[in-house]
Amino acid sequence: MLGKLATFLRMCGYDTAYALDRGLEADEPILRLAASEDRTLLTRDEQLAARAADAILLTERGIEGQLRELQAAGVALSLPARPRRCSNCNGELEPADADEAPAHVPDDAEPYRCRDCGQWFWKGSHWDAVRETLSRL
């Protein structure tokens, strides 16, 4: 239920586990994952939040409202100087050689590649759109 928020948090550099990425939907496995990895659970489920050791209950459905709720809870939201996390799988990004980048990566881009899934990233229009969203908070 918070997949778009997970993408935003990853782009902000946060190590963000998303339950559905790991095939988890039931409460118990989600609670075990959060506890075993010492994570703060973000959820819109009031009962689940009440059962977690560390949780932030979100009430908003839209991404900007959710981001505002996180800010109010003390979560710093800004884009890092360079991309740090894969928005797809949460793997760490590392700078890549522009000569190795596939054709869809713009020639003038500074490319990054995910160590885990191999996806390519650069600061393009999506980066700008996230920056714009964060500036409105």
Side-chain angles (χ1 to χ4, degrees), residues 3-62:
K4 190 168 188 176
L5 181 60
T7 298
F8 268 75
L9 289 172
R10 289 171 178 172
M11 290 184 71
C12 288
Y14 286 101
D15 176 4
T16 307
Y18 182 52
L20 292 179
D21 286 347
R22 299 195 186 181
L24 303 177
E25 291 187 49
D27 290 359
E28 289 306 319
I30 291 171
L31 290 168
R32 281 194 300 273
L33 171 70
S36 70
E37 296 185 4
D38 194 28
R39 294 185 180 275
T40 299
L41 178 67
L42 306 180
T43 184
R44 293 185 57 244
D45 182 328
E46 194 172 333
Q47 292 175 343
L48 181 60
R51 294 176 57 205
D54 183 14
I56 297 175
L57 178 63
L58 303 174
T59 60
E60 294 288 334
R61 291 188 180 272

Side-chain angles (χ1 to χ4, degrees), residues 49-137:
R51 294 176 57 205
D54 183 14
I56 297 175
L57 178 63
L58 303 174
T59 60
E60 294 288 334
R61 291 188 180 272
I63 188 63
E64 285 190 40
Q66 292 169 354
L67 292 166
R68 282 189 188 96
E69 287 179 310
L70 286 179
Q71 273 191 328
V75 177
L77 297 170
S78 64
L79 291 174
R82 73 167 192 82
R84 302 254 179 237
R85 291 272 172 191
C86 176
S87 60
N88 183 49
C89 78
N90 194 46
E92 291 185 39
L93 300 181
E94 50 191 20
D97 188 346
D99 295 336
E100 297 175 6
H104 69 274
V105 176
D107 290 338
D108 62 343
E110 183 180 348
Y112 299 88
R113 192 159 191 197
C114 177
R115 285 197 271 183
D116 294 344
C117 74
Q119 187 167 331
W120 289 85
F121 292 88
W122 63 95
K123 291 183 188 178
S125 59
H126 187 60
W127 185 268
D128 294 338
V130 169
R131 183 187 317 280
E132 176 63 28
T133 299
L134 295 175
S135 75
R136 291 193 299 267
L137 301 180

